[in-house]
Amino acid sequence: MKIGLIPANRGFFSDELAARMRAETIAAMQKAGLEVVVPDEKLTKLGCVESYDEALKTGQLFREADVKGIVVAAVNFGDEQAVAFSVKSAGLNVPILVFGCQEEEVLKPTTDRRDSFCGLLSIGEALRQIGAKYTVARTPICYPSDASFADELRRFAGICRVVTGIRNARYGQIGARPDGFWTCRVNEKALQQIGVTTVTLDLSEAFAAVQSMSPDAPEVKNTMAGLAKYCDTSAAPEAALNKIARFEIFLRKFVEEKKLDALAVQCWTSMQANLGISTCAIMGRLSDDGIPTACESDILGALSMHALSLAGQGASALADWNNLHNDDPELANLWHCGVCPASFAKTAAKMGVQEIVGGSVGRENAWGVCEFEMKEGPITLLRVTQDPDGGWKAVVSPATVEATNAKTFGAYGWARIPGLQSLYRDVLMRHFPHHVALTGGSVGDIIWESLGNYMGFAMYAYGQGAPGQWTPQPPF
């Protein structure tokens, strides 16, 4: 990921100290795996930025490199106008991280000082005046070599991935939402306003593509073999596995052809009635391969999954807020019929029948779910939705999957969610639907900053001081 660096300098201060902090910041960013785009000593004095002319050169450098984020390092007090004009002339509307460099020692009359503690406030004010949104490091004044700054850079890279990814996303919707699920309604025009393009395809075209494939084609046999390695398919009929493999091939080709970032598929009941399979296992497999795939044509579920995958660089899933534990008010079952990445599995993943619809369409037509219990550990929950007037909002929460004696079918995990009763009430009162996305690890702070600060979503979380308002200190 290319990240621009503005080493903000002010000529009254030590050139030596400014150059040192510039070099340390570059080294820290490179160590964090970032590709640093920064003016060199030939372009600006010291490779820093302190004048209007240098700001224009820096902005052009960032624009031509198409950086996905900007780090502002106040190597001393810094020139706030130079920072503002660098950002404005770049014209990229990307996330911005601001921090200041700590003094070399406890101040004495003879100390070469930086005064970045003061200058960073001026930089923030200048950015506000040009309408630029920015992220403040959790330890705003630090040394670039500090471990806390390395953590901040990793967090900021996640923010850049989410903001850039969502603003340029393309989601494939295969089939209409199930008629009974108003929860999956979506306003495509409002989606386009935040940068998301929806690419639609009638389910009949998918069926036709699958049926036109030769069951004996080498790629079909290879996909069947891949499925057998992904989960235990030994109980599934050969004919069903063959059709499941062909549908997976179709999905992958559709993603490649349309350059899609995520999918939402109408997985019942036309799928079972007309093709004779369930697609849950292969949808989870695609999610494991970096293509978040939501069930029930839930495009906003796909967006929620995509955001989590971008934040944590791992697989994501979509589940129902399914069941409250009888004996524990903070333990909820996150469940779906079998559309979950097998990388989440604690127990052996095995292919089975979609038990919910099997009774109506025939069990022989419902093979293809992936059943298992999730492994224990921290997860992050997210749901994005729209208000009737088109406004955007999201609910986000940390959680921990725990082992319990409660069992069910499908793919599921029992998650301990802080303040679940209050959070659930807020989900209900704020009109969030029954689907929630999840991913492993703790990335709620990245989501909060990305969607709340940079994309203007109303944000909700348990323990939040001002419900519906993004605040600089998320409750994670």
Side-chain angles (χ1 to χ4, degrees):
M1 178 178 289
K2 291 182 181 179
I3 301 293
L5 170 62
I6 302 174
N9 188 27
R10 192 174 281 258
F12 302 124
F13 296 86
S14 165
D15 284 353
E16 179 186 351
L17 293 185
R20 185 190 306 168
M21 287 298 98
R22 174 186 180 276
E24 286 192 15
T25 304
I26 292 171
M29 292 173 68
Q30 291 174 336
K31 188 176 181 180
L34 303 176
E35 182 178 345
V36 186
V37 179
V38 60
D40 59 25
E41 293 85 348
K42 295 179 181 178
L43 190 65
T44 66
K45 177 188 172 185
L46 304 174
C48 294
V49 185
E50 60 174 309
S51 70
Y52 178 68
D53 286 343
E54 289 178 342
L56 296 183
K57 293 175 183 178
T58 302
Q60 181 179 356
L61 178 68
F62 291 173
R63 187 170 61 255
E64 291 176 351
D66 192 27
V67 301
K68 303 305 180 188
I70 295 171
V71 172
V72 176
V75 296
N76 47 45
F77 190 98
D79 188 285
E80 68 267 25
Q81 290 187 40
V83 171
F85 283 122
S86 295
V87 170
K88 186 175 181 179
S89 63
L92 294 172
N93 191 27
V94 294
I96 300 168
L97 173 67
V98 301
F99 82 101
C101 298
Q102 177 61 292
E103 304 291 350
E104 291 290 299
E105 60 182 3
V106 175
L107 287 185
K108 302 172 185 174
T110 57
T111 299
D112 274 342
R113 56 198 294 158
R114 293 196 174 98
D115 289 1
S116 65
F117 187 76
C118 185
L120 195 62
L121 298 174
S122 294
I123 289 170
E125 173 64 11
L127 290 173
R128 185 192 68 80
Q129 289 187 24
I130 65 168
K133 297 175 181 177
Y134 57 87
T135 297
V136 180
R138 291 183 177 184
T139 305
I141 307 299
C142 63
Y143 296 111
S145 57
D146 288 349
S148 64
F149 187 64
D151 290 339
E152 197 64 55
L153 288 173
R154 285 189 284 271
R155 174 173 172 260
F156 183 64
I159 293 167
C160 294
R161 286 193 302 269
V162 174
V163 173
T164 301
I166 299 300
R167 283 177 174 168
N168 298 278
R170 289 171 59 83
Y171 300 150
Q173 180 180 332
I174 301 175
R177 63 170 174 79
D179 181 61
F181 277 20
W182 283 13
T183 192
C184 297
R185 281 177 164 176
V186 63
N187 182 335
E188 288 187 34
K189 291 182 179 180
L191 270 172
Q192 197 68 66
Q193 289 297 306
I194 63 170
V196 176
T197 300
T198 304
V199 181
T200 61
L201 186 76
D202 192 81
L203 203 56
S204 63
E205 295 185 56
F207 293 164
V210 170
Q211 290 163 346
S212 69
M213 286 184 210
S214 170
D216 300 317
E219 64 177 338
V220 176
K221 299 300 182 183
N222 289 338
T223 302
M224 290 174 68
L227 278 167
K229 293 178 181 178
Y230 184 72
C231 63
D232 180 1
T233 61
S234 58
E238 183 82 3
L241 275 175
N242 190 284
K243 280 191 284 187
I244 290 167
R246 281 182 274 157
F247 198 86
E248 178 177 329
I249 292 167
F250 162 76
L251 288 180
R252 292 185 185 275
K253 288 181 177 178
F254 183 59
V255 168
E256 182 178 1
E257 177 188 345
K258 300 297 183 181
K259 296 178 173 57
L260 303 176
D261 299 290
L263 290 171
V265 179
Q266 189 213 106
C267 48
W268 59 270
T269 56
S270 180
M271 187 71 65
Q272 291 77 21
N274 294 298
L275 198 58
I277 60 169
S278 293
T279 57
C280 308
I282 58 176
M283 290 162 67
R285 192 176 182 214
L286 262 64
S287 295
D288 257 333
D289 288 345
I291 308 164
T293 305
C295 52
E296 296 161 345
S297 295
D298 186 356
I299 284 289
L300 297 188
L303 190 160
S304 305
M305 294 173 68
H306 186 212
L308 288 176
S309 292
L310 290 167
Q313 295 184 293
S316 58
L318 193 69
D320 286 353
W321 294 96
N322 182 252
N323 207 286
L324 181 67
H325 197 283
N326 286 57
D327 303 322
D328 194 325
E330 291 199 335
L331 203 57
N333 189 23
L334 303 177
W335 171 96
H336 228 282
C337 50
V339 56
C340 189
S343 60
F344 287 19
K346 169 187 175 181
T347 57
K350 62 179 182 179
M351 186 172 286
V353 171
Q354 218 281 29
E355 297 290 349
I356 301 295
V357 301
S360 60
V361 301
R363 289 176 57 84
E364 70 280 4
N365 296 316
W367 281 94
V369 304
C370 190
E371 296 194 317
F372 58 81
E373 187 174 353
M374 292 182 198
K375 58 189 173 186
E376 295 89 4
I379 59 173
T380 302
L381 307 177
L382 170 67
R383 179 65 205 198
V384 172
T385 194
Q386 294 170 296
D387 283 324
D389 62 1
W392 292 97
K393 57 188 176 184
V395 61
V396 60
S397 176
T400 305
V401 176
E402 294 185 359
T404 77
N405 59 359
K407 308 296 178 184
T408 185
F409 60 90
Y412 67 95
W414 286 92
R416 181 164 301 283
I417 303 171
L420 175 57
Q421 297 297 312
S422 177
L423 180 67
Y424 178 79
R425 185 177 183 277
D426 214 29
V427 165
L428 195 56
M429 292 294 293
R430 307 294 178 184
H431 310 147
F432 287 96
H434 76 291
H435 284 167
V436 65
L438 61 141
T439 194
S442 300
V443 296
D445 54 350
I446 294 174
I447 294 295
W448 188 273
E449 185 82 7
S450 303
L451 301 185
N453 187 11
Y454 290 103
M455 300 195 70
F457 287 25
M459 302 299 293
Y460 296 91
Y462 170 69
Q464 183 181 347
Q469 296 180 14
W470 174 83
T471 58
Q473 299 201 355
F476 300 109

